[in-house]
Amino acid sequence: MATPIFANRAIHYRPDIDGLRALAVLSVFLFHINDQWLPGGYLGVDLFFVISGYLITSIIRRQLEEDRFLFREFYARRIRRILPLFFTVIFVVSIVSFLLLLPDDYKKYWRTVRYAIQFVANQAFTNQDYFDVASEEKPLLHLWSLAIEEQFYFFWPLILF
């Protein structure tokens, strides 16, 4: 008989999920180093979304079943986990962009910062080819995936509730 994922109100460590996460991150990393090494490696982002969705849904579902889900705690955990690194990235990339980008490109960069801070960077890059040459000149392009994740975190608990 299979061991339940959740017992005693705690989530058991899942090495298989950590292994899948590592494969997802590695595939994206290798793809960005050289897209010929692992064509389609960007699909690791999709895999990461599936894993994240599974884990978050499991946590929320369990807490709802136990009548102990609190929106405040859920969002506070997301904020503590994501925002410190997010703002560090924005800060560092802004300094480097100031030093490296031309004035018109720097203005475009700040447009994407405004979208990123609102967690709608995916909308800032809509109708643009992710793989075009100009994508190398968009320092925050990778934040489209974080925006989707944050939108999921915002709406999914409301839907499940």
Side-chain angles (χ1 to χ4, degrees), residues 108-150:
K108 291 176 188 174
Y109 165 77
W110 277 103
R111 176 183 174 267
T112 62
V113 170
R114 287 191 300 275
Y115 277 87
I117 289 173
Q118 297 172 48
F119 292 108
V120 291
N122 54 322
Q123 294 176 17
F125 300 113
T126 300
N127 300 323
Q128 296 181 31
D129 186 358
Y130 186 80
F131 300 107
D132 69 4
V133 176
S135 68
E136 295 172 2
E137 299 171 6
K138 299 172 188 167
L140 297 179
L141 181 60
H142 61 285
L143 290 183
W144 71 266
S145 61
L146 182 62
I148 291 171
E149 185 177 5
E150 290 308 307

Side-chain angles (χ1 to χ4, degrees), residues 92-113:
V92 170
V93 172
S94 294
I95 291 171
V96 173
S97 295
F98 175 77
L99 297 171
L100 297 179
L101 294 178
L102 296 172
D104 285 343
D105 292 330
Y106 192 62
K107 286 179 187 174
K108 291 176 188 174
Y109 165 77
W110 277 103
R111 176 183 174 267
T112 62
V113 170

Side-chain angles (χ1 to χ4, degrees), residues 10-22:
I11 297 174
H12 292 289
Y13 173 69
R14 298 278 308 266
D16 55 333
I17 290 178
D18 265 357
L20 286 173
R21 280 184 185 178

Side-chain angles (χ1 to χ4, degrees), residues 19-128:
L20 286 173
R21 280 184 185 178
L23 287 175
V25 171
L26 183 62
S27 70
V28 172
F29 183 72
L30 289 174
F31 178 80
H32 281 294
I33 289 174
N34 184 334
D35 62 0
Q36 299 305 309
W37 291 353
L38 189 62
Y42 57 88
L43 293 174
V45 174
D46 297 337
L47 178 58
F48 207 87
F49 282 155
V50 170
I51 294 166
S52 181
Y54 168 76
L55 291 173
I56 291 298
T57 300
S58 298
I59 291 167
I60 294 170
R61 191 189 95 236
R62 179 178 45 87
Q63 289 178 348
L64 285 171
E65 287 173 355
E66 295 173 357
D67 198 32
R68 52 186 199 89
F69 178 80
L70 296 172
F71 286 98
R72 182 183 69 248
E73 287 181 15
F74 176 79
Y75 293 120
R77 282 193 307 269
R78 304 283 80 71
I79 287 168
R80 284 191 305 271
R81 184 176 71 81
I82 292 169
L83 289 187
L85 184 57
F86 171 77
F87 283 115
T88 301
V89 167
I90 296 289
F91 178 74
V92 170
V93 172
S94 294
I95 291 171
V96 173
S97 295
F98 175 77
L99 297 171
L100 297 179
L101 294 178
L102 296 172
D104 285 343
D105 292 330
Y106 192 62
K107 286 179 187 174
K108 291 176 188 174
Y109 165 77
W110 277 103
R111 176 183 174 267
T112 62
V113 170
R114 287 191 300 275
Y115 277 87
I117 289 173
Q118 297 172 48
F119 292 108
V120 291
N122 54 322
Q123 294 176 17
F125 300 113
T126 300
N127 300 323
Q128 296 181 31

